[in-house]
Amino acid sequence: MVLALPSIIIKSALIPRYLFELKEDDDACKKAQQTGAFYLFHSLAPLLQKSGHQYQAPRHSLLELERLLAKFGQDTQRIEDSVLIGCSDQHEAWFALDLGLTSSSSQNAAIQKPEMETELKGSFTELTKALFQLNTKDASLLTMAQALLRWHDAHQFCSRSGQPTKKNMAGSKRVCPSNKIIYYPQMAPVVITLVSDGTRCLLARQSSFPKGMYSALAGFCDIGESLEEAVRREVAEEVGLEVERLQYSASQHWPFPNSSLMIACHATVKPGQTEIQVNLKELEAAGWFSHDEVATALRKKSPYTQQQDGTFWLPPKLAIAHQLIKEWVEKPSCSTLPA
């Protein structure tokens, strides 16, 4: 018997295939630009427009972009520096272009930011400042775009030959013409772990965190490590505890300071082995927090309330650390993982 799949599933499955075709076929990607939309950046800061307490990311058609470049004396060939970041259900391709960065092959100088902001009726805003005031879709697209644009800016030359590399139309890779080495954008794997002793969870803060903010433990995976080994090492290094059990939760791309893949896990330690030994080279402070304390912190609408009541606050909802902590509060099973 053949079962018919819902159209929404079929449609969502077709999007990755369409994006794959655009990444592999320069002509198809260039054709997609004709009906596509462009998000603009300047020196890795996206163009945003303020709407109340939120930011919106305007998009521009190819024609609008060509007119804009012409007005500022720029060659429209600069559009080839754009990178593909997604598409709509109707296969409208989305691209990102940085007008403040210059490629090794570009003959155009960077366009001055103030003039561009006036023309576009927006502002190029640091993503670190605006991320949590964007809707989920724009936040996801802009973080991907920034990561890709940053990677291309940092990989314009071959590490083997020293010669300029050439990006494909979609920006999914760069190739060295002299030796044919292909470079692909990469992310650094990071484990982020919420440790529990059964009734409490362990939260910590680094000196670089905003005042009053606590989060789960996190650290980069070392070369040659498995996910499990990285979790156990990081917990031992930072707070001197031995992980008894661990369980994968979810993952998230994180663009700051460079592109990372955050791999979230729950971990437990034995109830009788909970004495924390804070590694002050890594952390400013760490401690055990009760279910009620963490639940109260999750209910806070604004981090700035900690300035009034002196208590701690947690990472914003968009961060995977927030979701990991929320999962622990709402699911008792996370406190007592199976053996």
Side-chain angles (χ1 to χ4, degrees):
M1 181 175 64
V2 178
L3 297 177
L5 292 173
S7 59
I8 188 171
I9 296 178
I10 296 174
K11 186 181 292 185
S12 62
L14 290 175
I15 290 176
R17 179 63 61 87
Y18 176 63
L19 292 174
F20 174 80
E21 292 172 357
L22 298 188
K23 292 175 183 178
E24 294 298 311
D25 188 331
D26 282 356
D27 290 335
C29 188
K30 193 161 188 175
K31 183 178 180 181
Q33 289 181 347
Q34 305 296 318
T35 56
F38 292 79
Y39 291 86
L40 300 182
F41 285 70
H42 193 287
S43 301
L44 299 178
L47 177 72
L48 301 175
Q49 295 172 338
K50 200 71 182 287
S51 176
H53 297 293
Q54 295 292 111
Y55 282 105
Q56 295 180 342
R59 295 183 294 175
H60 299 81
S61 67
L62 179 65
L63 181 59
E64 290 172 331
L65 184 54
E66 288 175 339
R67 288 173 177 169
L68 180 70
L69 292 173
K71 185 169 184 175
F72 285 89
Q74 299 282 310
D75 193 326
T76 55
Q77 187 177 357
R78 184 168 194 149
I79 296 171
E80 294 186 6
D81 290 336
S82 64
V83 294
L84 175 69
I85 57 173
C87 72
S88 69
D89 290 341
Q90 293 72 39
H91 287 187
E92 176 194 57
W94 299 325
F95 299 87
L97 176 64
D98 197 304
L99 300 171
L101 300 177
T102 55
S103 67
S104 58
S105 60
S106 176
Q107 302 299 315
N108 296 298
I111 303 175
Q112 293 303 306
K113 185 164 68 172
E115 291 86 343
M116 186 67 65
E117 289 177 327
T118 301
E119 178 68 23
L120 295 171
K121 297 180 175 59
S123 61
F124 292 102
T125 307
E126 293 297 329
L127 198 51
T128 50
K129 298 178 181 178
L131 183 61
F132 300 115
Q133 293 172 271
L134 290 164
N135 63 47
T136 303
K137 174 188 169 185
D138 283 345
S140 177
L141 287 172
L142 293 181
T143 54
M144 179 192 296
Q146 187 194 68
L148 270 174
L149 293 168
R150 181 192 287 116
W151 183 85
H152 281 285
D153 186 51
H155 291 79
Q156 296 186 46
F157 296 89
C158 176
S159 61
R160 182 67 60 85
S161 70
Q163 297 298 310
T165 54
K166 181 177 176 59
K167 71 178 276 294
N168 66 336
M169 188 62 64
S172 59
K173 62 185 176 183
R174 298 187 75 92
V175 180
C176 176
S178 66
N179 55 30
K180 308 305 179 186
I181 292 178
I182 302 175
Y183 295 90
Y184 295 97
Q186 297 178 338
M187 296 188 293
V190 174
V191 290
I192 179 165
T193 308
L194 189 65
V195 179
S196 171
D197 68 351
T199 59
R200 304 172 297 175
C201 75
L202 190 151
L203 299 174
R205 61 172 281 104
Q206 298 176 1
S207 57
S208 60
F209 284 8
K211 184 179 178 181
M213 192 187 88
Y214 278 72
S215 186
L217 300 176
F220 289 97
C221 296
D222 284 345
I223 289 179
E225 279 187 325
S226 68
L227 170 62
E228 294 82 1
E229 290 169 339
V231 168
R232 297 179 189 279
R233 175 185 55 77
E234 279 294 329
V235 173
E237 279 182 2
E238 296 193 349
V239 293
L241 295 176
E242 183 179 347
V243 169
E244 184 180 27
R245 302 185 185 98
L246 63 92
Q247 178 178 297
Y248 170 78
S249 173
S251 63
Q252 178 188 49
H253 168 247
W254 193 247
F256 314 119
N258 293 303
S259 196
S260 299
L261 177 63
M262 307 296 292
I263 306 166
C265 297
H266 290 281
T268 59
V269 295
K270 293 180 179 179
Q273 301 176 4
T274 58
E275 184 180 348
I276 298 172
Q277 298 174 11
V278 179
N279 183 345
L280 295 177
K281 292 182 179 179
E282 294 282 341
L283 302 174
E284 183 179 83
W288 291 106
F289 294 82
S290 70
H291 184 279
D292 288 345
E293 288 176 313
V294 178
T296 299
L298 281 172
R299 288 194 294 267
K300 288 184 177 180
K301 295 182 179 180
S302 169
Y304 301 107
T305 57
Q306 61 87 21
Q307 296 178 355
Q308 282 75 47
D309 58 25
T311 58
F312 70 100
W313 57 282
L314 301 171
K317 291 181 179 180
L318 191 61
I320 198 168
H322 182 101
Q323 301 305 318
L324 192 63
I325 295 167
K326 183 180 179 183
E327 192 173 45
W328 178 81
V329 168
E330 296 178 350
K331 297 180 181 179
S333 60
C334 294
S335 301
T336 54
L337 300 178

